[in-house]
Amino acid sequence: MEGAQEDGETEEKAEFDASDIEYVSYGGEHHLPLIMRLVDHELSEPYSIFTYRYFVYLWPQLCFLAFHKGKCVGTVVCKMGDHRYTFRGYIAMLVVIKPYRGRGIATELVTRAIKVMMESDCDEVTLEAEVTNNGALALYGRLGFIRAKRLFRYYLNGVDAFRLKLLFPRSEMHPSLHLLAEQDGHDQITMEGDA
Amino acid sequence: MADEQDTEIRLPATASAIPSGDGTVWADVSPLLNAACNELRDGELIHGENFSLFAAMSALEIMDPKMDSGMENGTYHSVDEAIESGAAPVPLSCDKTTDVLRIIDVMDHLLACEATWHKGHSLAQTVFSCIYLLRLDRTSPHALLHSYCRIIRATCNAVISVVSEGRTHEEEDLFIMAFGLPLGGEKDEGCLSSVNAVEETLCRRLHACKAPTAKKRVVEDLEPLQTNPDLEEGLCRALLCRLRFRKHFYHLLLCMRRPQGRGLELARKHISLCLLELEHLRKSSDFLRSVGCSAYNNALMAETTASGCQPLGFDDKLNIRTSAPAPPRAIKTLSWEMALDYFKKLLDDLDIICSFSLELLLENVLHFVVEFQKRQPDLVARAYLQALLIQDGKLYGREPIFHVICKASALPESLKNHDIQKSEALMQLVQTDESVWSVIYQHLFLFSILRNGLSHDLTKVNGSLMQLLINLLRILCTNVAWQRRKLGKVLQDWRVIYVKLEHTFRKEFRELSGLSEENACTKLVRHILMWVEEQTYWIALRFLSLGFELDLYSPEEYCMVYWYLYVILVKLAEKTHLKILAGTDSAKRKGKKKRESLVDTTKDYRIPPAVMLLKCYICLAEGLAMMLAALRNELMILQPVSPFNSEFERFMQHFEHLQKACLPDHISYQSFKECTTQAVLSTLVVYNHFKDALRIAKELKSSFGNDPNKLAELRCIEQIAERNSIALNVINRIGAVDPALKISFEFSYHPYFAVAVVKRS
């Protein structure tokens, strides 16, 4: 699925103060049409209503919306669950409408989701982003995601994707990490700059 | 998705033909379903607990053009309707000249479609958007069109077969999807004879129109191609080059599939003929443009034909339903020019494969494949390379993989000639109709019994080792994105095999240690062990370096990546050197016995060029790692900062596969930190790794005098070393005092080794 489309260049920028943006957690069916409109309009992949509901019904706590004066300008939709031997968070959709990009709204949305994943004991967070989506790649790079893999012609439009991954510092979840931490005297891994 | 119903509805049991079993009771669910139907609104569904993301994603919204491939959005509902409406007339025009011009447009558009297919779109929406191909029988009265369509179909079949047999197309699986398309029919080369017949008639017509007027009637009783004598020659030529291109292209595909690479030489001839015809095709554009559009009235323009006119008989919406059980993909057919460029590139790639000398030394085979991949070949060329390398479980279909491994392990000559030959004779004895694998297996088994050394266990390990090598060769032919992922995964298998082999070897060796001398078999295994280790590090190196090509590393991660690259290169150099030494040692010992002379050994023990080249890389990797570390330590740039984790997690993620496979042992994030935290620019300038790289590269030139690829590589190394050395000096002098200095890393000379670029902003 798609990552963020947060590139700097925009035709028309909205005038607003960062403090005017209101972030809310998914609050029920009335939010669903807002999310769907944003995603359908901004992302290349088509999703059925079942896909949206799959996410927001099962993980409403991982879905956030950004409002400016009552208008929905951005959203993030995620999930989490077991993946092989890890408990993994997954960012499925992240959208901020063009006039509002480049002002940290996407970063705030995704940071909120990642924090919930971390508190829910996820080991890692993953997502896919188009290799050409420089805005999204820079955003996730700043958050500590690495480009783990490249997926050849992943999207319907024929563009490759990067699978991005963020590993949380939690040695007891990874036996290999734990072992390594012990033998290297690398005990509790500290987090840098997490507010 | 309906809200879960908490209220349990109990329903009356009804009589049923099928009796209820233990713990099950038949119940009438109609009232429940009726109630649910009344409650359900748009977009809701009743589902079980196992309703997954995949199920949700598989749902399509009917009549949503982004999702519903089956939506009626074309002009016609069916192929028959399109034909009845006159979308694909046969002949294409009652006017003979227009008919020929339109056939040429069909041919050109088909070529563009074919290239678009090869580039990753579905066959159904590209080549088979041609209504003539969808109803091939209709074209039979029209020899020209019919023969062209037939050879296109045969070519598609040949290409699908080579790609699907390779079974490494994975993410490119759309390519071979041909469900519902009329691809069946001729499997033989029947289409060639019909093309030949048409070609011959065209030749005679060309000949006739060029002959002096007086002779014309005498020479030929042949009807001209069309009615306009001024256009006869040009049109004959335009058709001829198109037909001949198809013919040679099909021939070359057949030649390339001949067993054991026997058709490669002939294939090259067809490739050069194809390239020649491709040039004629390109040149025919001027002529066709001049006559094309004036010949039809109100012709629509198109980029996909030489004439620039829209072709008749195509509809890419007709097949959209058969394309794939997935949402429709946007298809932009390549332009005619781009299609010609694509085929030129494909032919050049195939020519490189055909001119390969079918090396038996694995090292050279791997080198060839890696060099070939640098050209970024598309799926079809890669599939043909794979089909050549691995046939019937043997290298080129003739060299048993076990022999390839023995050769790669630099086995002493004595062993090769004596034992393996002997066992080969035995192998022929046991060769029945069984699979090649069982024969190789028996071969090894017999071999081990024969040499009274090894147990059944070891032959098992060897068997899977051969499978690993075959897999490796296959993987190396895939697209680099998938290749890297697969290489990461197989690293562990190679490591496990090594450990198993070593374990068994030690056990066997202990049992045999009573014997006076190491026997041939233990010697063989010792050599193979060395090779397995070397090969594993080679895979690790390829895995790491492909990360650069795929743009997987960010500049903040370069430091750790170069450091790990350095560690792997050191190990690879060590293992390669050991293997080469072991190979020459045994040979020398034997030679010495014969001559009983004491030659000065110092000269023979100089480091082999292959190892020295690795040393060059080692210097570059270490130099870059240390330079980047110093920049971080002193200038505080390129530091990985993230709110959620630390550099340790990035290290573990990037090198997970290597760490899991213990490549190498005792290497961890801590070792990386220990090596890099003390790095400072002033020390690096004095002990300059780049200068070492430069020196070795200069010395090596004489060793690779006859290898232009290696010489080019050495020149790149020199450039990188020189530039980084200068950059290091500049940064050391003014980096700390000049805050306007911008330092970036670029890959302008080499795909993996960066050059530091220093600019004042």
Side-chain angles (χ1 to χ4, degrees):
Chain A
M1 288 193 199
E2 200 100 351
Q5 296 267 355
E6 202 186 54
D7 43 341
E9 21 96 34
T10 49
E11 319 87 67
E12 42 179 289
K13 286 255 178 206
E15 292 286 325
F16 67 95
D17 200 85
S19 59
D20 288 344
I21 304 292
E22 193 194 350
Y23 296 93
V24 294
S25 198
Y26 178 77
E29 275 286 316
H30 63 289
H31 277 156
L32 195 58
L34 304 175
I35 296 170
M36 285 171 63
R37 199 176 310 132
L38 238 58
V39 175
D40 281 347
H41 191 251
E42 299 289 337
L43 301 187
S44 65
E45 298 286 286
Y47 303 115
S48 76
I49 186 158
F50 303 124
T51 303
Y52 291 105
R53 287 214 168 109
Y54 171 80
F55 286 110
V56 298
Y57 274 49
L58 289 169
W59 301 277
Q61 76 278 26
L62 296 180
C63 174
F64 292 92
L65 296 92
F67 288 93
H68 179 236
K69 294 179 178 161
K71 176 184 168 191
C72 184
V73 297
T75 185
V76 64
V77 176
C78 314
K79 67 172 230 165
M80 55 190 177
D82 288 319
H83 179 85
R84 295 198 181 126
Y85 304 108
T86 59
F87 190 59
R88 180 188 261 193
Y90 178 75
I91 299 168
M93 306 163 198
L94 172 64
V95 175
V96 171
I97 57 171
K98 274 209 176 109
Y100 288 82
R101 285 182 197 172
R103 299 285 301 273
I105 297 175
T107 305
E108 180 60 29
L109 284 167
V110 91
T111 301
R112 282 173 188 243
I114 292 172
K115 279 185 181 161
V116 178
M117 291 173 187
M118 208 169 178
E119 286 155 12
S120 316
D121 284 338
C122 279
D123 301 306
E124 58 183 14
V125 185
T126 70
L127 67 118
E128 291 92 33
E130 288 186 14
V131 295
T132 49
N133 190 347
N134 292 326
L137 294 175
L139 184 159
Y140 290 113
R142 285 193 297 272
L143 292 174
F145 281 81
I146 69 145
R147 300 172 191 181
K149 291 171 184 177
R150 192 178 175 116
L151 307 165
F152 188 72
R153 289 188 197 144
Y154 184 76
Y155 292 103
L156 288 174
N157 59 14
V159 176
D160 286 4
F162 282 126
R163 170 148 307 130
L164 305 180
K165 267 193 192 180
L166 174 79
L167 183 69
F168 288 133
R170 201 184 296 263
S171 55
E172 68 274 15
M173 298 299 287
H174 273 282
S176 59
L177 282 187
H178 190 54
L179 199 74
L180 199 114
E182 263 181 357
Q183 85 188 24
D184 295 331
H186 190 110
D187 41 41
Q188 201 49 52
I189 301 140
T190 48
M191 291 202 309
E192 298 169 15
D194 188 21
Chain B
M1 201 183 295
D3 288 319
E4 318 295 339
Q5 293 273 339
D6 283 337
T7 47
E8 205 179 335
I9 303 173
R10 291 200 174 273
L11 299 157
T14 52
S16 164
I18 308 167
S20 304
D22 289 339
T24 58
V25 177
W26 283 101
D28 181 2
V29 294
S30 314
L32 174 66
L33 284 181
N34 286 333
C37 285
N38 294 331
E39 282 295 309
L40 280 174
R41 278 168 292 151
D42 274 358
E44 293 185 335
L45 87 159
I46 299 170
H47 65 84
E49 276 177 11
N50 58 353
F51 184 74
S52 64
L53 176 59
F54 182 75
M57 293 280 289
S58 305
L60 293 177
E61 270 174 39
I62 306 296
M63 300 313 284
D64 178 341
K66 260 176 148 183
M67 279 190 246
D68 187 356
S69 323
M71 208 172 125
E72 298 273 4
N73 54 2
T75 322
Y76 308 111
H77 299 292
S78 67
V79 181
D80 293 325
E81 192 187 308
I83 290 168
E84 277 163 29
S85 314
V90 183
L92 288 83
S93 169
C94 301
D95 173 58
K96 279 208 156 187
T97 310
T98 313
D99 185 55
V100 171
L101 283 167
R102 284 188 169 153
I103 286 176
I104 293 172
D105 288 342
V106 169
M107 290 172 168
D108 289 349
H109 188 78
L110 268 172
L111 190 80
C113 284
E114 195 181 3
T116 311
W117 171 46
H118 285 198
K119 280 284 190 184
H121 290 286
S122 79
L123 185 61
Q125 282 178 272
T126 55
V127 179
F128 279 85
S129 65
C130 178
I131 299 168
Y132 295 110
L133 267 178
L134 289 167
R135 292 283 189 276
L136 199 55
D137 294 346
R138 287 180 63 242
T139 62
S140 50
H142 203 306
L144 190 55
L145 182 63
H146 190 64
S147 62
Y148 195 86
C149 287
R150 275 178 74 189
I151 200 162
I152 286 269
R153 186 178 67 175
T155 306
C156 288
N157 270 319
V159 172
I160 288 173
S161 123
V162 74
V163 171
S164 55
E165 277 168 33
R167 281 173 297 156
T168 47
H169 43 279
E170 281 293 302
E171 289 154 338
E172 294 151 294
D173 57 354
L174 200 61
F175 186 91
I176 55 161
M177 280 217 220
F179 181 74
L181 300 178
L183 269 160
E186 56 199 333
K187 291 269 183 271
D188 55 274
E189 295 164 31
C191 63
L192 278 170
S193 51
S194 82
V195 170
N196 283 334
V198 174
E199 185 193 348
E200 203 195 306
T201 321
L202 277 171
C203 273
R204 283 166 57 205
R205 282 179 174 140
L206 180 64
H207 198 67
C209 75
K210 281 166 77 185
T213 338
K215 269 189 175 177
K216 244 180 202 170
R217 243 168 270 131
V218 192
V219 176
E220 295 289 347
D221 50 358
L222 196 68
E223 222 184 290
L225 179 67
Q226 41 80 54
T227 44
N228 185 344
D230 295 339
L231 301 180
E232 182 76 358
E233 186 183 342
L235 289 175
C236 280
R237 285 186 191 281
L239 283 173
L240 269 173
C241 63
R242 280 161 175 78
L243 276 175
R244 283 176 178 156
F245 172 78
R246 297 268 37 135
K247 186 178 80 171
H248 293 302
F249 189 66
Y250 186 58
H251 265 302
L252 91 87
L253 297 184
L254 294 182
C255 287
M256 285 192 77
R257 291 309 300 277
R258 284 199 196 155
Q260 305 185 7
R262 285 199 199 110
L264 297 185
E265 213 172 307
L266 192 55
R268 287 197 77 188
K269 284 185 187 149
H270 286 294
I271 289 172
S272 60
L273 290 167
C274 262
L275 286 166
L276 196 72
E277 299 303 338
L278 212 54
E279 274 317 297
H280 291 317
L281 263 151
R282 217 183 272 277
K283 284 180 194 150
S284 71
S285 182
D286 288 342
F287 167 73
L288 291 169
R289 273 183 186 276
S290 68
V291 291
C293 292
S294 57
Y296 321 146
N297 292 325
N298 304 322
L300 290 167
M301 300 308 285
E303 282 187 329
T304 55
T305 57
S307 70
C309 300
Q310 187 89 39
L312 273 181
F314 288 86
D315 189 336
D316 59 1
K317 301 270 185 332
L318 275 178
N319 262 327
I320 208 156
R321 263 155 274 165
T322 55
S323 55
R329 282 173 190 259
I331 291 186
K332 170 98 180 71
T333 307
L334 294 184
S335 74
W336 191 66
E337 290 284 341
M338 283 158 81
L340 293 185
D341 292 344
Y342 168 78
F343 276 100
K344 168 86 172 62
K345 166 86 168 69
L346 174 64
L347 290 164
D348 288 342
D349 287 342
L350 293 178
D351 194 48
I352 285 175
I353 298 172
C354 291
S355 36
F356 180 43
S357 56
L358 305 193
E359 279 277 352
L360 293 179
L361 195 56
L362 181 69
E363 198 183 309
N364 296 341
V365 180
L366 297 179
H367 181 73
F368 174 78
V369 180
V370 168
E371 285 296 310
F372 182 70
Q373 285 276 18
K374 282 188 189 159
R375 300 176 51 84
Q376 301 181 319
D378 285 300
L379 174 62
V380 175
R382 283 187 275 110
Y384 275 96
L385 175 60
Q386 199 202 315
L388 171 68
L389 291 181
I390 304 290
Q391 296 170 26
D392 304 327
K394 292 180 185 174
L395 184 68
Y396 318 122
R398 57 168 207 239
E399 203 63 17
I401 298 296
F402 181 63
H403 284 194
V404 177
I405 293 175
C406 289
K407 217 174 162 60
S409 310
L411 281 190
E413 282 304 313
S414 56
L415 266 179
K416 275 183 217 160
N417 297 339
H418 187 237
D419 307 288
I420 297 169
Q421 296 283 318
K422 204 185 272 178
S423 66
E424 190 154 52
L426 268 167
M427 179 180 151
Q428 275 161 12
L429 280 178
V430 298
Q431 198 147 15
T432 57
D433 286 329
E434 289 158 281
S435 78
V436 181
W437 282 118
S438 83
V439 172
I440 291 175
Y441 187 76
Q442 284 179 34
H443 169 197
L444 269 166
F445 185 61
L446 283 165
F447 179 43
S448 67
I449 303 276
L450 183 80
R451 298 309 309 157
N452 73 31
L454 301 173
S455 70
H456 207 255
D457 272 3
L458 203 49
T459 55
K460 263 190 213 159
V461 175
N462 263 330
S464 40
L465 182 60
M466 292 188 285
Q467 194 58 55
L468 274 189
L469 183 57
I470 289 180
N471 283 346
L472 177 64
L473 286 168
R474 287 216 168 112
I475 292 168
L476 291 172
C477 295
T478 62
N479 73 64
V480 283
W482 198 59
Q483 183 182 141
R484 185 175 192 271
R485 274 154 43 209
K486 281 301 210 187
L487 289 179
K489 283 181 188 153
V490 299
L491 271 173
Q492 272 198 76
D493 301 339
W494 279 81
R495 200 59 183 168
V496 167
I497 268 272
Y498 175 79
V499 172
K500 272 192 197 164
L501 200 60
E502 197 195 25
H503 176 78
T504 323
F505 175 64
R506 277 182 202 283
K507 210 173 72 188
E508 300 285 344
F509 193 69
R510 252 203 317 276
E511 280 163 19
L512 290 169
S513 57
L515 298 172
S516 56
E517 213 187 318
E518 189 184 24
N519 76 6
C521 229
T522 50
K523 219 181 263 178
L524 172 90
V525 178
R526 207 159 49 82
H527 276 265
I528 289 181
L529 265 174
M530 270 187 271
W531 168 74
V532 174
E533 260 208 310
E534 186 204 9
Q535 197 55 53
T536 312
Y537 281 108
W538 185 91
I539 300 170
L541 174 67
R542 176 109 183 117
F543 171 78
L544 281 181
S545 41
L546 277 180
F548 285 105
E549 262 181 56
L550 296 168
D551 199 16
L552 295 179
Y553 310 128
S554 72
E556 293 80 24
E557 294 157 356
Y558 287 166
C559 182
M560 62 163 116
V561 175
Y562 281 118
W563 179 80
Y564 219 122
L565 199 62
Y566 154 75
V567 170
I568 293 293
L569 279 163
V570 167
K571 282 291 186 184
L572 179 61
E574 182 190 311
K575 304 298 167 196
T576 309
H577 200 178
L578 265 178
K579 189 195 73 180
I580 296 173
L581 280 181
T584 47
D585 257 8
S586 328
K588 203 175 297 154
R589 223 178 293 139
K590 203 183 159 206
K592 263 189 197 165
K593 266 183 204 162
K594 270 184 195 163
R595 283 182 278 121
E596 286 184 2
S597 63
L598 286 165
V599 196
D600 176 25
T601 50
T602 46
K603 202 182 164 213
D604 299 61
Y605 279 107
R606 77 196 166 118
I607 303 170
V611 179
M612 288 309 281
L613 183 61
L614 288 171
K615 287 226 171 208
C616 268
Y617 294 138
I618 291 173
C619 293
L620 287 185
E622 192 181 10
L624 279 161
M626 289 304 158
M627 177 152 98
L628 284 151
L631 292 177
R632 287 165 57 163
N633 296 338
E634 292 186 84
L635 302 188
M636 304 312 205
I637 57 167
L638 296 172
Q639 293 191 328
V641 188
S642 115
F644 295 106
N645 60 12
S646 67
E647 193 182 28
F648 169 72
E649 282 75 31
R650 287 190 181 206
F651 184 94
M652 291 315 291
Q653 283 176 284
H654 269 307
F655 311 122
E656 187 191 2
H657 290 298
L658 300 164
Q659 289 278 301
K660 273 188 187 161
C662 300
L663 289 168
D665 278 325
H666 313 302
I667 283 294
S668 64
Y669 177 68
Q670 199 61 27
S671 356
F672 162 63
K673 287 313 271 184
E674 277 164 14
C675 288
T676 51
T677 37
Q678 302 301 325
V680 283
L681 290 163
S682 53
T683 323
L684 290 179
V685 174
V686 180
Y687 183 72
N688 192 331
H689 301 90
F690 299 119
K691 283 189 178 150
D692 290 345
L694 196 61
R695 183 178 47 80
I696 304 172
K698 282 199 196 304
E699 282 170 17
L700 262 179
K701 278 186 174 168
S702 58
S703 311
F704 293 123
N706 53 356
D707 187 339
N709 279 341
K710 287 259 166 62
L711 283 178
E713 181 73 4
L714 287 175
R715 275 195 295 277
C716 289
I717 293 174
E718 281 178 5
Q719 288 279 350
I720 297 160
E722 219 156 342
R723 274 154 207 274
N724 280 333
S725 191
I726 295 167
L728 195 59
N729 273 310
V730 172
I731 300 165
N732 181 46
R733 265 189 295 132
I734 54 167
V737 290
D738 191 346
L741 214 61
K742 284 269 175 284
I743 303 158
S744 59
F745 286 84
E746 291 173 6
F747 294 88
S748 32
Y749 294 93
H750 199 274
Y752 324 139
F753 291 108
V755 167
V757 178
V758 185
K759 275 182 195 152
R760 190 174 272 129
S761 57

